[in-house]
């Protein structure tokens, strides 16, 4: 797309990156067919091509309005358009630039600014969020049904195995996940422990920065990234093999640290190193598949491959941050199939569920429409259980589903624990 940047953006890092991306778009419109907001709203300005055009106008010097901001706000940042685009347009990077510029020029009203600040602080500060959650859980039984739905019951996460292996990996605990679903990371630690990898944590790490970043608070997002890089780098120096992500929304952000900090001379190299060491848990287990499968099939007493305690028919929702953001497809499905689960067919797997970080709070009508559509597809195959790979998708889908929604790695842990119990094993580590 022919682009002539306004003087204020020409020869700036943001302007150069935006111009390169804008020029790669050939305006073909293929991306419209897979854009969730275009599917729901039917307005070209709520499609990737329309938003690219709006951002191009702004970068060429047009004055953005509240309407420009609204169309950019309505984007889920699901990056489905990137997967569809035949020209490789890096839409997500362009949107970051466009939103940042529009935010500076248009601003927000007092109430909206306060609401966004409250979301950033409330959700992005683990101590604050977990304290409020525990308080809510303690009086949950007294709550009316509509409030109860927003406060999940307290969960027993079981034991975190002691660090005993030479192979070590580090996990990002995350901000809301340890409070809402503590079993996800302990299940991950148990599965890796059986394989022969000790999973360790670093308490000084905090939110990955995605919450602030997607609320256009670039400085706070980068500050979170720098803090995590500072506390993780010594672990990499000490031989930790990987930084493991159990929430794909965090994973895509940490994998982007290198890009986001590329112009910071003090952090560019360290950020690139952290990004290169970051893996979704599915990537780790796909590599370790041979050992995992030996563990899953090692009991020779006729126990069925799938756990007797765990439902067999599973509907899997691949989060956008996994399939479009990190370009990881097929790994989770194959690991679940290896463990004996039957995956039910799910239509429109590529479409966002509407969670998208704080999107479900800030754009509830579109988020609810997408949730209903997604849950309808997930339930169509009559599964026993729904699984996904991101805490945001999990809680969003659960709020509209009678079926339990879990993280898929919890199922592998269930199968392995059930297998241990059925054959009397106490230590199934193979290395
Ligand atoms: S599919 Fe790609 S090249 Fe075509 S309009 Fe969309 S972003 Fe541009
Ligand atoms: S990121 Fe998702 S919602 Fe946004 S334009 Fe692309 S496909 Fe549409």
């Amino acid at each position: 797309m022919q682009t002539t940047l306004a003087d204020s953006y020409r020869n700036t890092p943001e302007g150069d990156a935006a111009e390169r991306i804008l020029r790669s778009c050939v305006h073909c419109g293929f991306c419209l067919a897979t854009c969730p907001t275009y599917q729901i709203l039917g307005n070209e300005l709520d499609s990737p091509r329309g938003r690219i055009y709006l951002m191009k106008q702004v970068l060429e010097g047009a004055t953005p309005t509240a309407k420009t901001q609204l169309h950019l706000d309505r984007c889920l940042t699901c990056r489905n358009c990137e997967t569809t685009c035949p020209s490789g347009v890096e839409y997500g990077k362009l949107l970051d630039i466009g939103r940042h510029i529009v935010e500076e020029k248009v601003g927000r009203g007092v109430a909206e600014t306060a609401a966004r600040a409250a979301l950033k602080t409330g959700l992005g500060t683990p101590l604050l969020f977990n304290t409020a959650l525990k308080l809510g859980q303690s009086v949950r039984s007294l709550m009316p049904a509509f409030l109860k739905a927003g406060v999940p019951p307290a969960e027993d996460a079981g034991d975190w195995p002691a660090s005993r292996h030479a192979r070590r990996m580090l996990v990002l605990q995350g901000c809301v996940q340890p409070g809402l679903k503590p079993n996800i990371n302990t299940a991950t630690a148990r599965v890796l422990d059986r394989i022969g990898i000790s999973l360790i944590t670093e308490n000084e790490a905090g939110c990955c920065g995605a919450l602030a970043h997607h609320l256009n608070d670039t400085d706070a997002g980068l500050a979170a990234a720098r803090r995590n890089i500072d506390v993780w780098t010594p672990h990499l120096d000490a031989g930790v093999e990987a930084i493991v992500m159990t929430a794909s929304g965090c994973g895509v952000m940490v994998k982007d640290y290198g890009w986001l900090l590329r112009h910071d001379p003090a952090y560019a190299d360290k950020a690139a190193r952290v990004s290169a060491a970051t893996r979704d848990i599915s990537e780790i287990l796909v590599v370790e598949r041979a050992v995992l499968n030996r563990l899953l099939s090692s009991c020779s007493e006729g126990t069925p491959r799938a756990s007797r305690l765990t439902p067999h028919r599973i509907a899997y929702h691949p989060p956008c941050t996994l399939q479009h953001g990190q370009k990881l497809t097929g790994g989770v499905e194959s690991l679940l199939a290896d463990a004996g689960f039957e995956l039910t067919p799910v239509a429109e797997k590529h479409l966002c569920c509407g969670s998208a970080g704080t999107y479900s709070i800030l754009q509830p009508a579109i988020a609810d429409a997408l949730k209903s559509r997604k849950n309808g597809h997930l339930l169509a195959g009559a599964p026993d259980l729904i699984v996904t790979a991101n805490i945001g998708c999990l809680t969003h889908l659960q709020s509209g589903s009678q079926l339990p929604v879990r993280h898929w790695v919890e199922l592998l842990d269930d199968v392995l624990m059930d297998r241990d119990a059925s054959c009397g094993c106490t230590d199934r580590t193979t290395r």
Side-chain angles (χ1 to χ4, degrees):
M1 196 187 291
Q2 186 62 41
T3 304
T4 309
L5 291 186
D7 288 347
S8 49
Y9 302 120
R10 195 171 302 137
N11 299 323
T12 65
E14 274 195 336
D16 288 347
E19 184 175 28
R20 177 182 58 77
I21 298 168
L22 284 169
R23 284 180 183 276
S24 66
C25 175
V26 296
H27 231 68
C28 64
F30 286 174
C31 50
L32 272 65
T34 57
C35 172
T37 53
Y38 184 69
Q39 296 283 310
I40 297 283
L41 301 168
N43 180 348
E44 167 96 21
L45 293 178
D46 289 309
S47 77
R49 186 171 64 180
R51 293 185 179 112
I52 288 170
Y53 192 65
L54 288 173
M55 291 186 276
K56 176 179 185 290
Q57 286 180 317
V58 172
L59 284 154
E60 288 185 332
T63 303
T65 65
K67 197 166 173 292
T68 316
Q69 190 178 46
L70 175 67
H71 292 299
L72 299 191
D73 280 352
R74 282 184 183 155
C75 174
L76 292 138
T77 57
C78 67
R79 294 168 63 179
N80 200 337
C81 46
E82 288 189 10
T83 301
T84 309
C85 177
S87 302
V89 173
E90 294 176 293
Y91 171 88
K93 289 174 180 166
L94 180 64
L95 184 75
D96 283 348
I97 296 167
R99 277 182 168 170
H100 184 60
I101 292 170
V102 170
E103 190 83 7
E104 282 187 342
K105 291 197 178 294
V106 178
R108 307 253 175 205
V110 176
E112 198 181 354
T113 302
R116 286 172 163 251
L119 280 174
K120 262 183 295 184
T121 309
L123 298 177
T125 313
L127 182 63
L128 205 59
F129 178 80
N130 291 326
T131 305
L133 180 66
K134 280 199 173 82
L135 195 64
Q137 286 170 333
S138 68
V139 294
R140 189 173 183 274
S141 59
L142 307 172
M143 288 178 175
F146 75 96
L147 275 182
K148 215 183 243 181
V151 183
E155 182 180 270
D156 178 8
D159 295 329
W160 190 293
S163 182
R164 58 180 175 150
H165 302 295
R167 294 187 68 192
R168 284 173 303 121
M169 294 183 182
L170 181 70
V171 69
L172 170 66
Q173 285 282 33
C175 39
V176 299
Q177 185 172 293
L180 291 171
K181 293 287 167 188
N183 188 56
I184 295 174
N185 281 348
T186 50
T188 303
R190 288 189 291 265
V191 171
L192 289 178
D193 179 67
R194 286 173 164 92
I195 288 171
I197 299 167
S198 285
L199 192 65
I200 60 171
T201 61
E202 169 51 69
N203 292 335
E204 296 301 314
C207 175
C208 64
L211 273 172
H213 183 70
H214 292 303
L215 288 167
N216 299 320
D217 189 345
T218 308
D219 290 344
L222 293 183
R226 290 188 184 98
R227 179 204 54 223
N228 290 344
I229 290 165
D230 283 342
V231 298
W232 287 338
T233 297
H235 288 283
L236 293 175
D237 290 343
V240 152
E241 287 181 35
I243 303 169
V244 180
M245 299 289 142
T246 55
S248 58
C250 304
V252 75
M253 177 71 185
V254 179
K255 286 183 177 183
D256 265 354
Y257 280 1
W259 162 261
L260 294 169
L261 289 164
R262 68 197 183 285
H263 296 301
D264 181 335
Y267 277 87
D269 290 345
K270 288 188 285 183
R273 184 184 180 202
V274 162
S275 291
T278 299
R279 300 279 183 281
D280 184 76
I281 180 60
S282 64
E283 292 179 272
I284 305 283
L285 293 181
V286 163
V287 170
E288 304 293 335
R289 161 171 277 148
V291 183
L292 183 62
N293 283 349
R294 211 156 56 235
L295 289 166
L296 288 164
S297 61
S298 59
C299 198
S300 57
E301 297 167 13
T303 312
R305 281 185 66 83
S307 163
R308 286 172 287 110
L309 302 177
T310 312
H312 289 208
R313 287 173 57 78
I314 304 296
Y316 170 55
H317 165 57
C320 300
T321 40
L322 195 70
Q323 61 172 327
H324 304 305
Q326 298 185 54
K327 311 285 183 234
L328 295 175
T329 54
V332 173
E333 293 94 322
S334 65
L335 289 165
L336 287 172
D338 283 356
F341 294 101
E342 178 189 346
L343 288 150
T344 60
V346 179
E348 294 190 328
K349 275 199 162 183
H350 59 283
L351 269 196
C352 181
C353 67
S355 169
T358 54
Y359 190 95
S360 58
I361 300 166
L362 296 169
Q363 302 287 341
I366 302 171
D368 282 352
L370 289 168
K371 177 170 66 182
S372 300
R373 184 165 170 162
K374 180 61 70 181
N375 270 332
H377 290 322
L378 288 165
L379 295 173
D384 301 310
L385 188 74
I386 296 168
V387 294
T388 187
N390 187 49
I391 184 68
C393 308
L394 189 157
T395 52
H396 184 62
L397 291 171
Q398 185 68 85
S399 69
S401 169
Q402 297 298 318
L403 271 192
V405 185
R406 301 183 72 194
H407 192 292
W408 63 271
V409 80
E410 295 181 278
L411 268 56
L412 291 191
D413 181 47
D414 284 357
V415 172
L416 290 169
M417 286 218 280
D418 189 29
R419 194 58 51 87
D420 287 356
S422 67
C423 71
C425 296
T426 54
D427 184 350
R428 298 166 60 78
T429 305
T430 59
R431 292 179 190 175

